[in-house]
Amino acid sequence: MTASHTSEPAAQTEPAARSKYVYAFAEGNRDLKDLLGGKGANLAEMTNLGLPVPPGFTITTEACRVYLDGGQAPPELRDEVSEHLSALEQAMGKRLGDAGDPLLVSVRSGAKFSMPGMMDTVLNIGLTDVSVGGLTQQSGDERFAWDSYRRLIQMFGKTVLGIDGEAFDDAFDDVKRARGTTDDLDLDAADLKTLVETFKGIVRDRAARDFPQDPREQMDLAINAVFDSWNSDRAILYRRQERIPADLGTAVNVVAMVFGNLGMDSGTGVAFTRDPGSGDQGVYGDYLQNAQGEDVVAGVRNTVPLQELERLDRESYSQLLHIMATLERHYRDLCDIEFTIERGTLWMLQTRVGKRTAAAAFVIGAQLVDEGMISLDEALTRVTGAQLSQLMFPRFDDSAVKKRITRGMNAAPGAAVGKAVFDSYTAVKWSRSGENVILIRRETNPDDLNGMIAAEGILTSRGGKTSHAAVVARGMGKTCVCGAEELEVDTKRRRFTAAGGVIVEEGDVVSIDGSSGEVFLGEVPVVASPVVEYFEGRLGAEQSEDELVRAVHRLMSHADDARRLKVRANADTPEDAQRARRYGAQGIGLCRTEHMFLGDRKQLVEKLILAESDDERQQALDGLEPLQREDFIGIFTAMDGLPVTIRLLDPPLHEFLPDITELSVRVALAESRGEKHENELRLLQAVHRLHEQNPMLGLRGVRLGLVTPGLFKMQVKAIAEAAVECRRRGLDPRPEIMIPLVASVQELEAIRADAEEILRAVAADSGVDVPALIGTMIEVPRAALTAGQIAEAAEFFSFGTNDLTQMAWGFSRDDVEAAFFSAYLEKGIFGVSPFESIDTDGVGRLVRIAAEEGRKARPNLKLGVCGEHGGDPESVRFFHSVGLDYVSCSPFRIPVARLEAGRAAVTADLSDSR
């Protein structure tokens, strides 16, 4: 009997649960970063830990997304904000902007991922012409009240109303100049009152409205401005640089103000639980008396080291150290902390897992394992291949003659050399024309991001290790020296003056050392990093006094133990093979035989291609075969006992033929002079006959082998005879013969039959058996889609992801990268070039299909990848997930691939265990 649904009463639809858009700090925790953003989640976490956090609430990223999608905030948001604002007023015993005792709040951005300085913040909201008098009465400090008011108008004007910040800066400088000072602390209350009126006039003139005197209007406009800042040019650029998804949105934190600018018993600072530059343990950070937070980040006044706080305020210093230790134990990582001291009372304004340099990442990871905070698996997930790559960059030669002109703070390590430039526009322009540049500023701000990305390094005369320049540079892996106070940077005249009257004009070469903070005139030579010396085997890790080398060795060893993916090298010479082996290669995944035919041998290939008779063709082959055999003997010797995948000749014909235009000119000149030119004319006729409109899709790879009799047979014979000779020398050669550009199984079957015949003949003649796998590159989309058929004739697949990407996208790589890739990246069509990281949705799907169907047809099919994606960190993790057996990349990238293969394995294991 079938039940009838028609007789059942209609189900009552439950109304959808209304979204909650505002959370008090006590309602959140650090696991809610998707909803509350990193700042809001961590403020909630500190609140729950009982740390001194000013009261406040967080508006969710969901509210931001609604605002950005529809152009206005959710209708429920105003009431929710009012409810939480009322609770905040009750907790503080004050009302927002009250005339007698005003509550002031900050409105701060806070995305899931840290984006330092990229989005907007407004402080001191609630101050008006009326409430500034109440703040004066409440604080007993008229100067402080008017200074707070001018800060609000300045930040609000720039952030909310979109007024050029230089208008306020110039007015501020005019007042200081009139007082004969460069220090804003020398201005008194009367000066600041005048400045407030000037700032209000700037708002009136530039924004065509008065500065709002309604505190709630100030707050609502500031909230919307923070939402809008998610899509500011600098935020979009930073997200693209750091590969942060564009659809996350930012949360907004509304926090009761605490003041570091109430006098010399107040101040603000940033602290790190370990040195973010080196990983060294100790007390690191900056402190600035009588200041608000933006003064530290902006670098408008130079800070003092955090240790100075012990002398200035011992009780707050001791409390801060205790809180730092608590947070590091709780987060089990380096913590970056922002704090304010208001008349001797310490307040925690923010914490997050701190950005760090590549060196610090490895050192801290190993330290935390030793301290029992994390496992080796977790330590491995906290370092990246990109960071390891940074550590392999060169450093300045200590023995070189150098002219030091100043020294600043070592904000982000590395050695950078380039021409001095003084604005972001010039940095980008010169960089695009091929110049290496050093961006030099008094202090950077978020608008300098383009120039910071373009520059080799950054040098500022103001700011400390927690300034905008330092934080952003560390995150990007850029060399940075900050707070070089001796420099007088004149951006208008495009030069700086150092001690002793040394003048550096725009275009002069300077060298900066981000590890020591030193700045040198001219170009300083560089030497290999100790990490490279370790990989080269010139520096033993166990004996090294370098903590970084020991940390790299430890985490690399664990990565090697953990990884499933093997790592091979793309190498075409014995020298490359030897270097790859030193770097940890477990074989050669791509030996490109066409690279062996360049130079003097090119003429032999030219004769082979242009041969008009069997005799001419055989003569060319006979000349090439012994050269190939010696090539392979050298590579098999270097890779003794490890597999060597040799790709048979693959290049398009035009790479071995004379340029048709140059040859035509030579023939025409010879005819005009009445000279003999039979050879050139014959060659020109052959080049015309073989000329292709699109040679990358023409006669190359397996097609060339099928239509050029004897070519692939010669190569296979040279491989086999080289392997025989190596066996006779007591070596263990393991050749793998790879047929390129196969699109159908019939192509592969034809070449395979010839290859097997040659292998049998060599074995019979020599009496030495030479087992060799025969497989193919999967670089044509049709091959990927018919992989099940092709696997019946192939013992291995090697994915040629460079060509596979070209053909899947319909791109000619040599043309499109220069023609329009930069526009695609700027428009967000690409997050990253598909030639840099594998396109997992398109090209990656072809790889996955081919892997699955190939293994279904031949379960023991060996799978690898030999495009340069094999050394890209994100791509390596994808190849692990697809189930490939190995990746292959250039020798220098082998350590990166080893590390990422290990990270992929432990990340998968950690995810499974959860």
Side-chain angles (χ1 to χ4, degrees):
M1 180 177 177
T2 303
S4 172
H5 293 282
T6 58
S7 61
E8 294 291 319
Q12 296 298 311
T13 303
E14 292 288 336
R18 187 174 69 84
S19 295
K20 177 180 170 67
Y21 291 118
V22 184
Y23 286 72
F25 290 162
E27 296 179 284
N29 61 64
R30 66 175 176 176
D31 296 326
L32 295 180
K33 288 182 181 178
D34 285 329
L35 186 66
L36 305 179
K39 186 176 295 181
N42 288 323
L43 283 168
E45 191 74 10
M46 288 196 294
T47 298
N48 295 333
L49 288 173
L51 301 182
V53 177
F57 54 88
T58 300
I59 303 170
T60 66
T61 56
E62 186 179 354
C64 176
R65 289 192 292 271
V66 172
Y67 174 88
L68 295 176
D69 288 343
Q72 59 184 9
E76 309 94 329
L77 183 59
R78 182 175 178 84
D79 288 344
E80 285 192 53
V81 169
S82 296
E83 179 184 337
H84 283 78
L85 177 60
S86 177
L88 177 58
E89 289 174 333
Q90 289 179 11
M92 298 296 292
K94 303 178 181 182
R95 290 181 58 81
L96 182 68
D98 184 73
D101 187 7
L103 169 67
L104 305 184
V105 298
S106 62
V107 173
R108 300 173 180 268
S109 61
K112 176 182 179 180
F113 299 106
S114 177
M115 297 173 57
M118 296 303 113
M119 292 181 294
D120 290 333
T121 289
V122 184
L123 305 181
N124 305 329
I125 283 176
L127 276 176
T128 64
D129 292 348
V130 175
S131 62
V132 69
L135 184 61
T136 299
Q137 184 177 2
Q138 172 196 352
S139 64
D141 187 336
E142 186 181 24
R143 185 198 180 281
F144 153 74
W146 286 99
D147 183 48
S148 299
Y149 195 17
R150 71 90 188 162
R151 289 172 184 268
L152 169 62
I153 300 171
Q154 184 171 2
M155 295 182 77
F156 193 95
K158 181 179 178 182
T159 298
V160 180
L161 302 178
I163 299 170
D164 187 343
E166 287 193 3
F168 298 106
D169 293 338
D170 290 345
F172 203 179
D173 288 342
D174 288 344
V175 173
K176 286 189 282 189
R177 194 177 300 111
R179 292 280 297 201
T181 184
T182 59
D183 191 339
D184 56 348
L185 292 181
D186 291 335
L187 302 185
D188 60 21
D191 297 324
L192 293 167
K193 281 183 182 180
T194 301
L195 194 57
V196 163
E197 291 305 315
T198 302
F199 280 6
K200 289 197 300 186
I202 291 172
V203 169
R204 192 177 305 111
D205 293 341
R206 301 292 182 95
R209 63 156 296 167
D210 288 328
F211 176 76
Q213 296 296 311
D214 177 356
R216 181 59 191 267
E217 183 187 7
Q218 292 177 9
M219 188 174 76
D220 289 341
L221 289 174
I223 290 169
N224 289 347
V226 172
F227 285 158
D228 286 328
S229 70
W230 175 256
N231 282 332
S232 66
D233 290 343
R234 64 176 185 258
I236 291 171
L237 179 62
Y238 186 85
R239 287 200 300 272
R240 189 177 301 139
Q241 176 80 10
E242 299 297 316
R243 300 185 187 179
I244 296 172
D247 59 356
L248 297 179
T250 180
V252 180
N253 300 286
V254 179
V255 189
M257 284 295 304
V258 289
F259 298 98
N261 57 332
L262 270 169
M264 301 310 284
D265 59 350
S266 303
T268 190
V270 178
F272 296 93
T273 55
R274 299 174 194 237
D275 187 344
S278 67
D280 291 346
Q281 295 172 289
V283 178
Y284 296 91
D286 298 316
Y287 183 68
L288 194 57
Q289 282 181 290
N290 199 16
Q292 286 194 311
E294 77 270 17
D295 296 332
V296 176
V297 175
V300 296
R301 283 164 41 211
N302 282 336
T303 58
V304 298
L306 186 60
Q307 292 90 330
E308 270 295 291
L309 181 58
E310 183 176 19
R311 181 183 63 81
L312 299 170
D313 185 345
R314 181 182 295 273
E315 185 176 342
S316 294
Y317 180 74
S318 298
Q319 185 184 5
L320 177 63
L321 292 187
H322 175 73
I323 290 173
M324 289 168 64
T326 298
L327 288 172
E328 183 171 90
R329 286 194 304 271
H330 186 70
Y331 283 87
R332 300 181 306 119
D333 207 344
L334 161 71
C335 288
D336 171 355
I337 298 162
E338 294 180 17
F339 66 93
T340 283
I341 298 173
E342 181 181 284
R343 289 180 171 167
T345 299
L346 176 66
W347 293 97
M348 307 304 295
L349 303 184
Q350 179 174 336
T351 191
R352 59 191 169 200
V353 171
K355 290 185 179 293
R356 66 209 69 187
T357 64
F362 278 84
V363 170
I364 290 171
Q367 287 173 349
L368 294 176
V369 172
D370 289 339
E371 294 167 26
M373 288 197 197
I374 62 174
S375 66
L376 266 172
D377 277 359
E378 191 166 357
L380 194 55
T381 67
R382 294 187 181 184
V383 295
T384 67
Q387 290 171 329
L388 180 61
S389 181
Q390 289 176 27
L391 296 179
M392 298 173 73
F393 293 150
R395 55 189 174 85
F396 288 139
D397 184 354
D398 291 336
S399 64
V401 176
K402 300 185 280 286
K403 182 177 180 180
R404 195 179 89 177
I405 53 178
T406 192
R407 185 170 193 159
M409 295 186 184
N410 52 332
V417 180
K419 293 183 176 180
V421 296
F422 293 87
D423 64 77
S424 183
Y425 173 80
T426 306
V428 172
K429 181 180 177 182
W430 288 19
S431 175
R432 286 178 176 170
S433 66
E435 301 280 7
N436 291 337
V437 299
I438 304 295
L439 178 63
I440 301 169
R441 306 285 285 162
R442 291 192 187 96
E443 68 271 340
T444 63
N445 63 57
D447 294 330
D448 289 317
L449 183 62
N450 278 299
M452 297 174 76
I453 292 172
E456 299 297 307
I458 299 125
L459 169 63
T460 71
S461 61
R462 299 176 183 171
K465 289 186 178 181
T466 55
S467 64
H468 174 268
V471 172
V472 174
R474 281 198 295 272
M476 292 193 300
K478 295 279 185 180
T479 298
C480 181
V481 174
C482 286
E485 298 180 1
E486 293 178 343
L487 299 185
E488 293 182 14
V489 178
D490 188 338
T491 56
K492 292 183 179 178
R493 299 175 71 183
R494 297 186 174 276
R495 69 183 192 179
F496 72 75
T497 305
V502 175
I503 296 176
V504 172
E505 305 279 358
E506 188 160 78
D508 292 344
V509 174
V510 294
S511 302
I512 65 172
D513 188 333
S515 300
S516 67
E518 293 173 297
V519 181
F520 305 101
L521 187 63
E523 181 175 350
V524 177
V526 296
V527 295
S529 82
V531 173
V532 170
E533 292 182 335
Y534 156 68
F535 284 125
E536 289 277 6
R538 298 192 298 267
L539 182 63
E542 302 302 332
Q543 295 77 35
S544 174
E545 296 180 1
D546 191 322
E547 186 177 10
L548 171 60
V549 171
R550 295 197 304 272
V552 168
H553 171 72
R554 187 173 184 184
L555 295 182
M556 288 297 299
S557 297
H558 187 62
D560 288 336
D561 291 340
R563 63 186 168 90
R564 180 188 57 74
L565 275 175
K566 294 186 181 300
V567 178
R568 298 192 192 181
N570 299 344
D572 311 321
T573 67
E575 294 75 22
D576 281 347
Q578 290 165 358
R579 181 180 299 108
R581 193 158 191 166
R582 290 196 300 271
Y583 279 23
Q586 295 165 289
I588 290 178
L590 177 63
C591 176
R592 294 157 287 207
T593 54
E594 62 271 13
H595 288 188
M596 301 171 177
F597 291 152
L598 301 176
D600 295 340
R601 304 182 188 183
K602 188 174 180 180
Q603 291 182 338
L604 289 172
V605 182
E606 184 179 297
K607 288 180 179 179
L608 173 66
I609 294 170
L610 300 177
E612 296 181 351
S613 68
D614 291 344
D615 287 344
E616 286 183 355
R617 185 178 300 109
Q618 193 57 50
Q619 282 182 348
L621 290 170
D622 290 344
L624 286 168
E625 185 180 317
L627 300 174
Q628 281 271 267
R629 184 167 54 247
E630 289 304 311
D631 291 330
F632 297 138
I633 288 173
I635 289 175
F636 289 152
T637 301
M639 281 288 162
D640 181 29
L642 296 175
V644 177
T645 303
I646 299 169
R647 182 176 72 186
L648 302 185
L649 198 64
D650 183 45
L653 287 181
H654 74 278
E655 292 189 13
F656 288 111
L657 296 177
D659 180 80
I660 192 169
T661 303
E662 291 181 6
L663 188 57
S664 298
V665 170
R666 290 211 310 266
V667 169
L669 286 173
E671 288 180 345
S672 67
R673 295 168 181 165
E675 299 171 350
K676 291 183 178 181
H677 59 281
E678 289 82 0
N679 289 336
E680 284 84 357
L681 183 60
R682 176 172 171 251
L683 186 58
L684 179 60
Q685 291 169 344
V687 170
H688 272 295
R689 185 176 69 252
L690 296 171
H691 178 70
E692 297 175 307
Q693 293 296 327
N694 193 341
M696 292 302 292
L697 298 179
L699 185 59
R700 52 174 287 216
V702 66
R703 305 159 192 169
L704 184 64
L706 286 169
V707 302
T708 307
L711 174 59
F712 279 8
K713 288 183 178 181
M714 177 275 293
Q715 289 194 288
V716 173
K717 185 180 179 185
I719 292 168
E721 290 179 347
V724 167
E725 176 61 26
C726 287
R727 284 191 179 276
R728 287 173 173 165
R729 297 179 185 180
L731 302 176
D732 180 17
R734 300 185 183 183
E736 298 177 351
I737 299 169
M738 183 159 67
I739 318 301
L741 213 72
V742 164
S744 75
V745 68
Q746 291 84 359
E747 292 172 316
L748 180 58
E749 287 171 341
I751 299 297
R752 183 184 182 96
D754 289 344
E756 288 177 331
E757 180 184 344
I758 295 293
L759 292 172
R760 286 193 297 270
V762 170
D765 291 345
S766 66
V768 178
D769 187 31
V770 183
L773 300 181
I774 298 175
T776 184
M777 288 186 82
I778 302 294
E779 51 191 331
V780 177
R782 189 183 189 279
L785 296 172
T786 60
Q789 298 173 25
I790 292 174
E792 295 176 2
E795 292 165 286
F796 68 86
F797 288 169
S798 180
F799 292 95
T801 52
N802 296 341
D803 270 354
L804 191 58
T805 297
Q806 289 196 99
M807 295 190 195
W809 279 90
F811 287 156
S812 169
R813 180 176 184 175
D814 293 338
D815 299 320
V816 298
E817 288 192 301
F820 61 80
F821 266 31
S822 59
Y824 268 42
L825 290 166
E826 288 173 5
K827 294 178 184 297
I829 295 171
F830 292 153
V832 63
S833 165
F835 291 110
E836 181 182 338
S837 283
I838 192 80
D839 159 31
T840 56
D841 294 334
V843 178
R845 188 175 180 207
L846 290 173
V847 172
R848 191 182 296 276
I849 290 169
E852 291 173 354
E853 295 192 1
R855 284 237 171 99
K856 186 176 180 180
R858 185 187 288 264
N860 63 344
L861 183 71
K862 185 184 292 187
L863 299 173
V865 60
C866 60
E868 272 304 300
H869 292 106
D872 170 63
E874 290 195 13
S875 302
V876 170
R877 294 195 290 277
F878 171 77
F879 296 136
H880 171 90
S881 72
V882 173
L884 302 194
D885 295 303
Y886 69 86
V887 296
S888 187
C889 57
S890 59
F892 193 76
R893 301 185 84 182
I894 287 169
V896 171
R898 287 166 52 199
L899 181 74
E900 286 296 343
R903 293 184 69 238
V906 301
T907 300
D909 290 343
L910 288 171
S911 297
D912 291 342
S913 67
R914 294 190 183 110

